[in-house]
Amino acid sequence: QKEVEQDPGPLSVPEGAIVSLNCTYSNSAFQYFMWYRQYSRKGPELLMYTYSSGNKEDGRFTAQVDKSSKYISLFIRDSQPSDSATYLCAMSLIKAAGNKLTFGGGTRVLVKP
Amino acid sequence: DARVTQTPRHKVTEMGQEVTMRCQPILGHNTVFWYRQTMMQGLELLAYFRNRAPLDDSGMPKDRFSAEMPDATLATLKIQPSEPRDSAVYFCASGLGLAGTDTQYFGPGTRLTVL
């Protein structure tokens, strides 16, 4: 069993809908939680990160972390066709420096016009 | 616009051949990561460096893979001999190596096919 589990999708939604993505993890020592977006044939790029539990909002994106349930979520409001991509969650342990990430397998999202 | 560069972008080779992939991290970044991405396994960390010293290469098959940083502007990943199961996209990423969370900036990847 992988340390970080993520439904591969694909998740298909109409334009304007809310996209809901999530990951579960097994290592309770993870402290930092990130979401990366990866367009086809490109490298991943950081969307958002949160530390420990709680919510964080950035424009149309909201990230939630529930450490008690070992569950993180990403919501995309008013989804656009340009949001069509693979979304990967990533996590890291608290540490002095450097940043070894453990990634989920990614969820492919398709926003239809 | 600072970015991580990787060469070659595509590589097709035959089983048993040596493959060398190169990465130029963003200037000023002191942490470099090598990842491999496949449909089955997703994105896996192979090795990473800080200030050119290897910190962790536990994700790398050591009998055939080697990673080095000859200088601060170049990281290399070599596979010798290559096997069909090595077919994947190999990403390099760099970061500032800050405490806590630190953005990793990914390159465009090298798509490797081993026949």
Side-chain angles (χ1 to χ4, degrees), chain A residues 13-20 59-62 75-84 87 111-112:
Chain A
V13 300
E15 183 176 355
I18 294 175
V19 176
S20 175
R60 296 184 296 112
F61 299 88
T62 300
F75 300 96
I76 308 173
R77 290 183 300 280
D78 187 24
S79 58
Q80 305 295 309
S82 59
D83 295 325
S84 298
Y87 291 80
V111 181
K112 294 183 176 179

Side-chain angles (χ1 to χ4, degrees), chain A residues 36 42-44, chain B residues 3-8 21-26 29 31-37 43-49 68-69 72-77 89-95 104-111:
Chain A
Y36 279 77
K42 302 285 187 183
Chain B
R3 59 184 68 188
V4 175
T5 58
Q6 290 185 248
T7 56
M21 291 169 269
R22 294 176 174 80
C23 166
Q24 183 172 13
I26 292 173
H29 284 188
T31 313
V32 174
F33 305 81
W34 282 106
Y35 290 91
R36 175 171 62 185
Q37 188 175 42
L43 199 60
E44 301 174 286
L45 179 67
L46 296 174
Y48 73 108
F49 295 78
E68 295 179 343
M69 280 201 73
T73 64
L74 177 64
T76 62
L77 180 66
V89 182
Y90 290 82
F91 287 104
C92 173
S94 71
Q104 292 187 20
Y105 295 84
F106 281 76
T110 294
R111 186 171 296 269

Side-chain angles (χ1 to χ4, degrees), chain B residues 53-79:
Chain B
L55 283 189
D56 187 344
D57 61 0
S58 59
M60 201 164 65
K62 307 235 184 8
D63 56 337
R64 298 184 300 109
F65 284 59
S66 62
E68 295 179 343
M69 280 201 73
D71 61 60
T73 64
L74 177 64
T76 62
L77 180 66
K78 290 186 181 180
I79 309 174

Side-chain angles (χ1 to χ4, degrees), chain A residues 2 32 34 36 38 41-44 46 49 88 95-101 103, chain B residues 33 35 37 40-41 45 48 56 91 97-104 106-107 111:
Chain A
K2 293 186 176 181
Y32 293 93
M34 285 139 277
Y36 279 77
Q38 185 177 20
R41 296 187 175 266
K42 302 285 187 183
L46 181 67
Y49 74 87
L88 302 114
K95 59 197 316 182
N99 190 17
K100 179 178 176 178
L101 298 180
F103 281 87
Chain B
F33 305 81
Y35 290 91
Q37 188 175 42
M40 291 298 295
Q41 298 298 325
L45 179 67
Y48 73 108
D56 187 344
F91 287 104
L98 302 174
T101 191
D102 177 34
T103 302
Q104 292 187 20
F106 281 76
R111 186 171 296 269

Side-chain angles (χ1 to χ4, degrees), chain A:
Chain A
Q1 188 177 359
K2 293 186 176 181
E3 270 192 299
V4 180
E5 297 282 354
Q6 192 175 0
D7 188 325
L11 180 62
S12 183
V13 300
E15 183 176 355
I18 294 175
V19 176
S20 175
L21 304 166
N22 58 74
C23 288
T24 58
Y25 61 95
S26 57
N27 189 346
S28 58
F30 285 134
Q31 295 283 346
Y32 293 93
F33 304 91
M34 285 139 277
W35 286 95
Y36 279 77
R37 177 176 61 196
Q38 185 177 20
Y39 290 116
S40 180
R41 296 187 175 266
K42 302 285 187 183
E45 56 179 342
L46 181 67
L47 266 181
M48 296 183 69
Y49 74 87
T50 54
Y51 169 66
S52 194
S53 286
N55 294 357
K56 186 173 183 178
E57 190 172 314
D58 184 1
R60 296 184 296 112
F61 299 88
T62 300
Q64 291 183 349
V65 175
D66 181 350
K67 289 193 69 182
S68 62
S69 301
K70 299 193 186 71
Y71 187 90
I72 69 170
S73 301
L74 178 71
F75 300 96
I76 308 173
R77 290 183 300 280
D78 187 24
S79 58
Q80 305 295 309
S82 59
D83 295 325
S84 298
T86 296
Y87 291 80
L88 302 114
C89 62
M91 310 178 185
S92 69
L93 305 171
I94 191 165
K95 59 197 316 182
N99 190 17
K100 179 178 176 178
L101 298 180
T102 302
F103 281 87
T107 299
R108 192 156 68 92
V109 172
L110 178 61
V111 181
K112 294 183 176 179

